[in-house]
Amino acid sequence: MYLRILFVFVIFVFQNVIYSQNFFRIKTDFTIKAKNPSGQQQLTVGKIYYDKKVKQIVYEISFPEKEIWVQKDTSLYKVVNSKIVNRQSVPNMIEFTIYHLAMNGNLADYGLKNSKFKLKKVEKNKKGVISTWEPPVEMKKMVGDVLMMNENQQLAGIVFKNTKGEVISKQFFRNYQKIKGLAFPQEIVKENYIKGQKFYEITTFKNTIINDYSGDQYNYKLPAKK
Amino acid sequence: MKTFFLSFIISLGSALNLYSSDAYLFDLDYEHVNKEFNDLDQIAKIIENNPDYDYHLLSDTYPQLIIDSNLKPDSSIMTNQGNPFLGIPSFLWGCVTGPLGILIAYVGTENDDNEAKKALWGCITQQVLTWGCYFGIVYFGDFSFYTG
């Protein structure tokens, strides 16, 4: 009897680990539609390649221009005709991208469970379960609470607040599709707030492939800088 | 009676919880958001049917659509591209403050090489203009009144 209970407990505890080890690569077509507060619009179309062992996101863009962007560590490189034409410093947030979170089975809690954020409040209502996470002391001067809503144990939305408690950004994860047992959203709607103005960005995914063995874009090697 | 009272308390609690909660933060007017992107949906369909189209080809073929949609020629992934430090063009940083301006433009844009290059051109322009003026005055200026 005790052995059975122990077995069930072990399976329950390690199920995330077992699942997450199964997924290591994701490839998907994407379209980003964005509008800024001045009314200008942007459309970006391409493919994304991500291998969690390589830890670099490769964006193969086909529109507006044919180019490759690579996000690795704290840099974002733009490559045109096999030449690096731009490099920007970006926060090292690869482990908080949906690609990495999904590959590791942490998308449902946006990786917050394994972070320094502390669970402050949980409430259940008709929409789902809303949890509020407060940042660690060392980050409290920079960021505010993060609220997360889960529906059917899937991440449905996340709200980021500033230190004053004002909403600065919202993301809604929609149309989950199960691919090889992995639930991955096919649409993300972002609401960004800048100077009191709200503007939107919609990212749609299609032709999502998990654990693709073909092609070497996942290990894209940056050209040497001349 | 006891069961009824308990159910009432639970229902009331749930109702109060719903209205006092943060649930409203997760309201999304999806129809409204979709309407915002009607123009881009049209362009996205054209791109889907013509995968070889880039921005220039699209603007040549559908110039009015580009104007109506106010479509920028760059993509939305690069966060700081084209945003010079403090909104002052990097060329001016280099032109006015010289080599220090190149450093300011580079560091201020979080190591954007392109902005640093613009500042470098500004710096070169400043040097060319300065030396050009100097030699112009020295060689072609009329200083005869000094020599009597």
Side-chain angles (χ1 to χ4, degrees):
Chain A
M1 180 65 185
Y2 289 116
L3 205 64
R4 268 188 202 171
I5 293 170
L6 186 70
F7 179 73
V8 170
F9 177 75
V10 167
I11 292 293
F12 179 76
V13 168
F14 289 100
Q15 64 174 347
N16 271 350
V17 179
I18 292 162
Y19 277 128
S20 63
Q21 282 177 345
N22 287 336
F23 309 120
F24 62 98
R25 270 184 176 184
I26 184 167
K27 169 188 171 182
T28 185
D29 293 352
F30 76 94
T31 302
I32 305 173
K33 293 176 280 184
K35 197 171 200 172
N36 67 27
S38 62
Q40 286 182 312
Q41 300 198 90
Q42 286 169 298
L43 178 69
T44 310
V45 181
K47 287 179 195 296
I48 284 170
Y49 299 85
Y50 183 72
D51 184 322
K52 74 175 183 185
K53 288 170 194 160
V54 183
K55 275 195 184 175
Q56 69 172 11
I57 304 172
V58 179
Y59 303 88
E60 197 179 71
I61 309 293
S62 56
F63 186 87
E65 299 294 335
K66 283 185 177 45
E67 54 204 24
I68 290 172
W69 294 342
V70 180
Q71 189 178 345
K72 191 172 178 63
D73 301 326
T74 56
S75 294
L76 181 62
Y77 300 90
K78 179 179 174 180
V79 180
V80 179
N81 296 328
S82 303
K83 272 174 75 180
I84 297 173
V85 295
N86 191 295
R87 184 185 78 83
Q88 277 188 13
S89 291
V90 291
N92 193 354
M93 298 291 277
I94 284 190
E95 292 187 2
F96 283 96
T97 59
I98 60 159
Y99 319 110
H100 187 86
L101 293 170
M103 291 298 99
N104 288 286
N106 296 327
L107 185 57
D109 62 49
Y110 208 76
L112 290 171
K113 267 185 197 167
N114 297 330
S115 74
K116 287 182 174 179
F117 278 70
K118 277 185 186 165
L119 185 60
K120 192 171 149 185
K121 192 171 95 180
V122 180
E123 60 174 89
K124 198 177 177 187
N125 58 42
K126 281 180 186 170
K127 285 184 170 182
V129 179
I130 297 173
S131 51
T132 306
W133 299 75
E134 68 175 346
V137 182
E138 64 268 25
M139 286 174 75
K140 274 191 173 172
K141 281 185 180 172
M142 294 179 284
V143 291
D145 286 351
V146 177
L147 286 87
M148 196 167 68
M149 188 169 80
N150 289 74
E151 282 174 0
N152 305 322
Q153 295 178 331
Q154 288 173 341
L155 179 67
I158 190 155
V159 174
F160 298 93
K161 288 183 173 179
N162 62 16
T163 50
K164 292 174 190 167
E166 299 161 338
V167 174
I168 50 169
S169 175
K170 292 182 186 180
Q171 291 182 31
F172 298 92
F173 301 83
R174 297 166 50 87
N175 307 338
Y176 274 86
Q177 196 183 335
K178 269 213 164 174
I179 307 142
K180 287 190 181 172
L182 176 79
F184 192 77
Q186 295 299 287
E187 187 175 64
I188 301 171
V189 180
K190 275 188 199 174
E191 275 183 20
N192 292 313
Y193 295 75
I194 293 182
K195 291 175 185 170
Q197 266 192 302
K198 184 158 62 172
F199 66 100
Y200 299 103
E201 185 180 296
I202 299 182
T203 304
T204 44
F205 300 106
K206 64 177 184 178
N207 302 326
T208 307
I209 301 171
I210 304 295
N211 292 355
D212 166 43
Y213 288 92
S214 66
D216 54 0
Q217 280 298 70
Y218 300 94
N219 298 303
Y220 181 82
K221 297 274 183 288
L222 284 162
K225 212 171 179 184
K226 286 169 190 172
Chain B
M1 186 64 188
K2 201 176 167 184
T3 317
F4 170 77
F5 185 69
L6 198 64
S7 312
F8 175 74
I9 292 290
I10 289 171
S11 308
L12 186 69
S14 305
L16 285 174
N17 191 32
L18 183 67
Y19 288 106
S20 66
S21 75
D22 294 310
Y24 74 96
L25 287 173
F26 294 93
D27 288 339
L28 173 68
D29 187 351
Y30 187 65
E31 294 301 314
H32 170 73
V33 179
N34 258 343
K35 270 184 193 166
E36 291 262 326
F37 292 110
N38 275 347
D39 295 339
L40 287 192
D41 283 337
Q42 202 182 338
I43 296 173
K45 269 184 192 163
I46 294 170
I47 303 299
E48 197 178 341
N49 295 327
N50 303 279
D52 291 336
Y53 270 28
D54 61 8
Y55 183 86
H56 299 288
L57 196 53
L58 183 79
S59 60
D60 287 346
T61 321
Y62 301 94
Q64 197 55 43
L65 193 58
I66 298 286
I67 295 164
D68 292 345
S69 61
N70 204 359
L71 186 70
K72 282 177 80 178
D74 50 5
S75 57
S76 54
I77 292 179
M78 279 278 180
T79 50
N80 270 337
Q81 197 179 26
N83 291 333
F85 182 54
L86 297 178
I88 298 165
S90 300
F91 182 85
L92 277 184
W93 277 115
C95 197
V96 176
T97 53
L100 179 66
I102 301 171
L103 187 68
I104 292 170
Y106 184 66
V107 176
T109 55
E110 295 179 337
N111 309 344
D112 188 335
D113 294 348
N114 273 357
E115 293 303 317
K117 271 180 203 162
K118 287 177 197 169
L120 176 67
W121 279 112
C123 186
I124 291 168
T125 307
Q126 180 216 44
Q127 293 296 312
V128 169
L129 285 174
T130 307
W131 286 103
C133 287
Y134 174 77
F135 285 114
I137 289 165
V138 168
Y139 288 103
F140 303 109
D142 182 8
F143 298 106
S144 53
F145 58 90
Y146 283 118
T147 53

